[in-house]
Amino acid sequence: MVVKRSSINGPKIERMLLEDDDEETSRSNYQLIRQNYASPGVAVILIIRMSRLNSNEEIEPLDELDIIQKTRAVFSEKNVFNKQFQLVKYDDHRIFVMSTDPIMAMKGMLRAKELIGTVDINSDDVNLQITGGCEYGDLYELPNDYFGNPVNIASKLAEDTAKPGQLLVSFGSLSPNPINFMPRVTFFPSVVEVSGVSIEHYIMTQKPKSQLFRALSDRKVKNRSSGSSSNRSLRATKSPSVRPSTPKMDLEVEYAGLMAQSSSSLGAEYAKVIMSKGINMRTKERSVGKHLPLQPKKQGPGFESMVLLQSDLSGFTRLTKQYGILHFLKLVLNCRKAFKRSIVNFPGKIIKYDGDNIICRFKTSKDALDCVFEIMKDIQTYNFRKKKDYQIHIKFGIAKGEAIISKDGDIVGHAWEECCSLSEDIAKVGDILISEEVRKDLLATSSDYNFDLRKNEDDVHRHYNVTKIMK
């Protein structure tokens, strides 16, 4: 089922960023958004990772999709996502989550890691694990999406840094450090440099059960030995902790207890510290549907012929570093606006947004290409008389072939892989790269285009940059 998640501030942020204003007004709007609509919280990204145990063979795409759907079903059945650990969206192997409480964010990550081992993958030759990354800071929430530096850091930790099974956490300069409130967990400090940015973080691991019991016992003795009135008051008001009668600790029971007790000692104590610094930790109601297993659009083989288009914006790292995330988000939203305005004129559909990428489906190659040319005209109008750093710099990839699109926007098939490769890995700003299949389609239906065969050192699939013949 598609995740539908409301955002109180999303429409206001979009409206301000979609104003076609001058640079001074844009900077003023950025300041207003930061002051009024930023949501302090933790961005969490979880990556479902799978590999063959006994060979280097790749897992079949349909098998990958099946495992991803089964993992989501387990997380839904076990209520991993809730008010304290809110699902933002699914995106293929990635799961985007946010939390207003760092303690609950870490608990949710540990919970997901434990449950990944319960997924029935019907194979003894597949190793299924999860990696995760999180960061605390200001988030800008949109419907079914969010942006902000914490999302970027969490992505770098989960996707680019973490080894299979690792959970990496970072909370920036947040004080006191939330890891001090996690006695049942071990944190190993580390640092990594990604894209020229050094990220200090911790590798988070659950303590062995014997150590867990010893830590709980030590904590209990310490609490009993304390005689201060403040500690007595805390013990008198907090809910009873979920404790087993034997040294065997069950993370599922412990996690359920914490989620059921909104005033848990760890979460409540950290929230008290945060609120003393003037940060609102209250959770907001969001309409998150029950997440059920997804099914391809057709049973059996499920593949159908389609034309896929993906766009990719250029300049993210440099622009966000120089101007901030809102500057780039303004470009992203205006690009989406151009797509939505143009695609209604063609038999096409926007499948999903993936950060600054836009993925669409069309019935014919000509529809896809003509839609791109219309989008380009719209973007050229937007860019007119703007400085380079305030312009939208975009590139496209179009491929045709067999593919499957799930109800949640997951895409499987050679056409999809080719489309991604063209737009993200090969295309340069201004390029409209098409596959050989798309070129054959266009030659059969129109003589309005020029095709420039592009050579690639990696000997990838044959592809062309296409331009329209001016008449």
Side-chain angles (χ1 to χ4, degrees):
M1 180 178 292
V2 177
V3 179
K4 292 185 177 180
R5 177 177 165 277
S6 64
S7 171
I8 296 174
N9 294 328
K12 300 173 184 176
I13 295 174
E14 286 185 329
R15 186 167 59 251
M16 294 179 72
L17 292 179
L18 283 171
E19 294 178 4
D20 192 4
D21 43 36
D22 56 36
E23 296 172 23
E24 184 176 348
T25 305
S26 292
R27 288 193 293 268
S28 177
N29 282 340
Y30 300 159
Q31 184 65 22
L32 288 173
I33 292 171
R34 282 191 289 265
Q35 291 175 348
N36 299 310
Y37 303 128
S39 301
V42 183
V44 178
I45 297 179
L46 302 172
I47 313 293
I48 302 169
R49 297 193 183 276
M50 58 194 86
S51 60
R52 295 286 184 191
L53 286 172
N54 301 316
S55 70
N56 294 324
E57 293 183 8
E58 293 185 357
I59 300 173
E60 290 296 324
L62 277 179
D63 292 335
E64 283 197 23
L65 179 59
D66 180 61
I67 292 171
I68 289 170
Q69 292 173 346
K70 286 180 177 179
T71 301
R72 294 174 185 170
V74 168
F75 286 179
S76 172
E77 180 184 349
K78 298 298 183 180
N79 299 314
V80 170
F81 307 112
N82 45 60
K83 292 180 182 179
Q84 291 90 1
F85 197 63
Q86 303 168 44
L87 176 63
V88 176
K89 64 178 180 179
Y90 291 126
D91 187 7
D92 298 329
H93 292 75
R94 297 177 293 177
I95 304 173
F96 293 82
V97 187
M98 72 168 291
S99 175
T100 51
D101 190 328
I103 302 298
M104 294 298 103
M106 289 186 284
K107 291 288 181 180
M109 294 171 73
L110 289 167
R111 169 72 162 159
K113 180 179 178 179
E114 181 197 38
L115 287 176
I116 199 74
T118 69
V119 178
D120 182 11
I121 55 179
N122 297 324
S123 174
D124 296 330
D125 188 38
V126 174
N127 178 31
L128 179 62
Q129 297 195 56
I130 202 162
T131 63
C134 78
E135 174 65 296
Y136 178 88
D138 285 342
L139 296 170
Y140 302 97
E141 301 179 63
L142 302 178
N144 301 321
D145 211 346
Y146 59 178
F147 289 82
N149 190 58
V151 182
N152 305 331
I153 298 299
S155 175
K156 293 180 187 301
L157 291 175
E159 297 189 73
D160 303 329
T161 307
K163 298 177 181 178
Q166 283 189 337
L167 302 176
L168 308 184
V169 300
S170 171
F171 297 102
S173 58
L174 189 60
S175 179
N177 196 323
I179 69 171
N180 295 327
F181 299 91
M182 298 284 285
R184 299 169 176 83
V185 180
T186 299
F187 295 91
F188 299 93
S190 185
V191 62
V192 66
E193 184 169 317
V194 182
S195 301
V197 178
S198 293
I199 306 173
E200 295 182 357
H201 60 279
Y202 296 89
I203 302 172
M204 179 173 64
T205 57
Q206 189 74 29
K207 288 182 179 178
K209 293 177 180 179
S210 59
Q211 292 185 24
L212 283 175
F213 183 68
R214 192 158 54 244
L216 286 171
S217 300
D218 292 344
R219 188 174 179 220
K220 183 176 180 180
V221 171
K222 182 178 179 181
N223 286 341
R224 285 179 174 175
S225 65
S226 175
S228 67
S229 59
S230 60
N231 283 338
R232 286 197 299 271
S233 175
L234 178 62
R235 291 197 301 274
T237 56
K238 71 179 182 179
S239 303
S241 59
V242 179
R243 297 265 321 259
S245 58
T246 67
K248 183 179 181 180
M249 294 296 298
D250 187 277
L251 183 58
E252 182 172 338
V253 174
E254 183 71 14
Y255 182 85
L258 284 169
M259 289 305 181
Q261 301 169 24
S262 60
S263 60
S264 68
S265 60
L266 299 182
E269 185 170 348
Y270 192 76
K272 181 179 178 182
V273 174
I274 295 300
M275 292 190 72
S276 71
K277 294 179 175 291
I279 300 176
N280 184 3
M281 293 289 291
R282 290 177 298 175
T283 58
K284 303 174 185 177
E285 289 287 348
R286 288 176 176 82
S287 57
V288 179
K290 186 172 180 61
H291 315 299
L292 301 175
L294 305 176
Q295 294 295 332
K297 290 193 172 184
K298 290 183 178 180
Q299 298 297 321
F303 287 92
E304 53 184 306
S305 179
M306 65 184 72
V307 179
L308 293 172
L309 160 69
Q310 178 171 270
S311 67
D312 185 24
L313 296 190
S314 177
F316 172 80
T317 302
R318 185 182 65 81
L319 292 175
T320 52
K321 185 176 182 179
Q322 185 169 351
Y323 301 99
I325 186 63
L326 290 176
H327 178 84
F328 195 77
L329 182 54
K330 180 181 179 72
L331 302 178
V332 170
L333 292 177
N334 276 282
C335 184
R336 292 180 181 180
K337 180 180 178 181
F339 265 78
K340 287 187 284 188
R341 187 156 45 201
S342 296
I343 203 165
V344 296
N345 299 322
F346 303 89
K349 179 182 179 181
I350 296 176
I351 299 171
K352 62 180 176 180
Y353 301 122
D354 179 10
D356 60 358
N357 294 350
I358 302 174
I359 297 97
C360 307
R361 172 185 178 175
F362 294 86
K363 290 184 177 180
T364 71
S365 300
K366 189 176 188 307
D367 287 334
L369 188 56
D370 287 346
C371 184
V372 168
F373 285 129
E374 189 167 306
I375 291 167
M376 289 292 285
K377 286 182 181 179
D378 211 347
I379 289 176
Q380 288 169 2
T381 300
Y382 176 84
N383 288 344
F384 185 63
R385 290 185 177 177
K386 287 184 174 69
K387 293 181 179 178
K388 182 179 179 180
D389 286 355
Y390 290 79
Q391 295 177 344
I392 296 172
H393 300 282
I394 193 169
K395 50 187 181 171
F396 300 88
I398 306 175
K400 179 185 177 182
E402 299 289 309
I404 290 177
I405 303 176
S406 77
K407 293 180 181 179
D408 227 16
D410 303 301
I411 311 174
V412 171
H414 176 72
W416 171 235
E417 298 298 329
E418 195 171 18
C419 177
C420 290
S421 176
L422 290 174
S423 62
E424 294 184 356
D425 304 330
I426 304 174
K428 299 178 182 178
V429 172
D431 282 350
I432 306 172
L433 297 188
I434 63 172
S435 66
E436 180 66 37
E437 288 299 315
V438 172
R439 175 177 172 270
K440 289 178 181 178
D441 261 6
L442 295 171
L443 287 173
T445 58
S446 175
S447 58
D448 295 339
Y449 313 107
N450 281 322
F451 305 98
D452 175 26
L453 177 62
R454 291 287 179 88
K455 294 183 179 180
N456 191 280
E457 295 179 357
D458 296 330
D459 194 28
V460 296
H461 36 259
R462 194 177 182 88
H463 60 279
Y464 305 80
N465 185 50
V466 60
T467 55
K468 198 166 188 176
I469 298 175
M470 303 302 295
K471 295 182 178 180

